[in-house]
Amino acid sequence: MTLWTAAEIAAATGGTMSGDFAVNGVAFDSREVGHGDLFVALTGEQTDGHRFVEQAFAQGAGGAIVSQPVSRPSVRVGDTFAALEDLARAARARVAGKVIGVTGSVGKTSTKEALFAALDRAPGIRAHRSVKSYNNHTGVPLSLARMPAATDFAVLEMGMNHPGELAHLTTLVRPHVALVTAIAPAHTEFFPDERAIADAKAEIFRGLEPGGTAIVPFDSPHRDRLIEAAKPYAGRIVTFGMDRAADVGAGDAMTLRGGGSFVNATVGGRELNFTIAQPGRHWISNALAVLAVADAVGADVALAGLALAELGGLPGRGARITVAVGGKGDASGEAVLIDESYNANPASMRATLAVLAQTPGRHVAVLGEMRELGDGSADFHAGLAADVIAARVEAAVLVGQAMAPLAEALEGRIDFVHVPDAAQALDRLRALIRPGDAVLVKGSNGVGLSRLVSALANGIG
């Protein structure tokens, strides 16, 4: 199905087309270009996308947006990044369906994926979402540019690590529903306190379409601050949380064998019982947010509940992988790996350690340092000691210099090693892992623990 024609791209960007072509996808990383994609040759501080135009076409690109002459089908513009944003605006303008913006300190990618599964489940519905964690100044316009015109529901993730970023991104997305999943210490290096983080997340409400819905976490200490920030822009404000007083609230929740939850909730005054496949109390909060959004956009809430029961673990965000230990193929030679390697902050660390606490087996934790925490970094890391102990961790591998305060806090309390990088962490883990272990791997993305997960998934030798 054609996503963009050369004429449409030229009209959206004000560029000049070198010839007629049509594309069915958009990419700005030449390594991700597929057959029929539009390649956007972005120019950055580190590299120039024009160097990879030929590579993109060798991989099957159908056209390109460029700011330099090329001998390939293209639309030439003055600034390729501005053109990508223009294409994003054009994509948003032609969609008549409901658009949902998702942000938060924790849970936004998982909630975005769960929302997509919930909305895409209905017969005949065409849903679109941001892929991976494309939620920044380039990822958001790319996700919009990839959105088909005939989209019924779009779920777009928006992230930030500085004030003002969401204020711009939300003007591109122009959501009908804006969701803040949670506020927690993240990127505190760039904010004076947690209230400032809440203010920055609340920028998402500024882009709401007239009469739009703002959805905020009832249980957050910043709930009232978020509500006040939403009032000038929202036609309706909905709360969700682990309290019956929330508009979408959980009354009772029971942990199921295998770690999931059975939840009794109220949604828009109606009672709903549903199951969540994913383990952890934080997933109950994510699920309530999903139901709040589904109700706000007029989707089938019961179908959304069924989708939550079937949702699998996400790579880097809770996926469970069975890995062979010692080269044995039977159950006695296997361990369970909980892959939380994508990112980490104090709130998500505590949540996933609580999940580990509920998992059968000897508990092993590979914990990478949490980055962008500023002057409070040492206290945030040391503060995890109580959660590590509560999770009954018997052996730990602490990764990165910033983990030194946690190492000091755990001294004499559990067995652990402190290593500088993911490569050494893998070596240490190979030496200590045993059949029947439950292994949690979590850290900031820059630590590189995803490579450790990949190595483990390919077998422990």
Side-chain angles (χ1 to χ4, degrees):
M1 183 180 296
T2 297
L3 181 65
W4 296 102
T5 65
E8 289 169 338
I9 296 167
T13 63
T16 303
M17 50 189 275
S18 67
D20 194 24
F21 62 85
V23 296
N24 52 31
V26 184
F28 55 63
D29 185 334
S30 60
R31 296 166 296 184
E32 296 184 358
V33 170
H35 183 76
D37 280 353
L38 174 72
F39 175 61
V40 185
L42 296 181
T43 301
E45 294 180 2
Q46 303 297 324
T47 189
D48 184 347
H50 293 86
R51 294 171 48 201
F52 305 100
V53 169
E54 289 303 316
Q55 177 183 331
F57 277 94
Q59 291 180 203
I65 293 179
V66 297
S67 59
Q68 301 172 13
V70 298
S71 58
R72 295 287 192 169
S74 61
V75 173
R76 188 174 175 184
V77 299
D79 183 322
T80 52
F81 176 72
L84 178 61
E85 287 201 332
D86 287 339
L87 198 62
R89 293 186 184 94
R92 176 63 184 87
R94 69 183 185 177
V95 165
K98 297 292 186 180
V99 176
I100 301 137
V102 180
T103 194
S105 301
V106 292
K108 55 183 177 291
T109 301
S110 299
T111 302
K112 177 258 297 182
E113 291 294 328
L115 260 172
F116 173 78
L119 298 172
D120 192 54
R121 186 182 181 90
I125 291 296
R126 292 158 295 193
H128 173 78
R129 73 189 185 287
S130 312
V131 299
K132 300 182 181 179
S133 290
Y134 284 167
N135 62 20
N136 63 4
H137 67 289
T138 53
V140 170
L142 176 67
S143 297
L144 282 164
R146 289 173 165 175
M147 182 167 59
T151 295
D152 296 305
F153 294 113
V155 188
L156 296 159
E157 180 182 341
M158 288 179 269
M160 63 88 207
N161 57 17
H162 288 84
E165 289 183 75
L166 276 179
H168 174 64
L169 295 178
T170 194
T171 64
L172 297 177
V173 174
R174 290 170 36 219
H176 297 94
V177 176
L179 164 67
V180 177
T181 59
I183 303 299
H187 311 300
T188 52
E189 179 181 354
F190 310 112
F191 295 94
D193 53 37
E194 211 170 272
R195 291 179 302 172
I197 296 173
D199 292 341
K201 296 295 184 184
E203 291 172 11
I204 192 174
F205 303 133
R206 300 182 192 179
L208 274 169
E209 288 288 89
T213 301
I215 300 181
V216 303
F218 183 88
D219 306 318
S220 172
H222 307 289
R223 175 192 63 210
D224 294 342
R225 194 177 191 90
L226 292 170
I227 289 173
E228 287 302 312
K231 281 181 178 178
Y233 309 100
R236 180 177 174 226
I237 299 173
V238 175
T239 60
F240 70 93
M242 306 293 291
D243 192 306
R244 285 285 191 188
D247 298 311
V248 177
D252 301 304
M254 179 175 65
T255 301
L256 302 174
R257 182 178 297 175
S261 300
F262 177 80
V263 183
N264 170 258
T266 53
V267 184
R270 296 162 292 164
E271 188 169 298
L272 178 69
N273 295 316
F274 64 99
T275 300
I276 307 169
Q278 298 303 304
R281 186 176 175 86
H282 61 294
W283 258 107
I284 300 177
S285 180
N286 291 348
L288 294 169
V290 168
L291 297 179
V293 172
D295 188 55
V297 298
D300 190 320
V301 175
L303 281 181
L306 290 175
L308 290 165
E310 298 175 359
L311 188 69
L314 307 175
R317 295 179 174 84
R320 295 196 172 204
I321 305 168
T322 300
V323 297
V325 179
K328 298 179 182 178
D330 58 11
S332 65
E334 295 176 343
V336 173
L337 171 66
I338 304 171
D339 177 15
E340 286 278 358
S341 60
Y342 182 76
N343 220 335
N345 59 46
S348 64
M349 276 284 198
R350 288 193 295 271
T352 50
L353 282 165
V355 169
L356 179 64
Q358 300 171 2
T359 306
R362 186 182 73 128
H363 295 168
V364 177
V366 181
L367 304 178
E369 64 185 16
M370 303 176 291
R371 296 182 175 177
E372 297 184 353
L373 293 179
D375 293 339
S377 178
D379 290 339
F380 282 128
H381 283 85
L384 294 177
D387 301 280
V388 171
I389 299 300
R392 305 188 311 280
V393 173
E394 296 185 36
V397 181
L398 308 181
V399 190
Q401 183 179 356
M403 273 292 177
L406 178 57
E408 183 177 349
L410 291 175
E411 189 68 44
R413 303 175 73 182
I414 68 167
D415 291 332
F416 72 89
V417 292
H418 184 199
V419 298
D421 54 44
Q424 291 193 39
L426 177 58
D427 290 340
R428 292 300 189 113
L429 184 58
R430 279 179 169 148
L432 67 86
I433 195 171
R434 304 173 188 167
D437 282 354
V439 183
L440 170 65
V441 180
K442 187 165 183 65
S444 285
N445 195 36
V447 180
L449 294 182
S450 60
R451 295 190 296 273
L452 178 148
V453 170
S454 179
L456 289 175
N458 291 326
I460 300 293

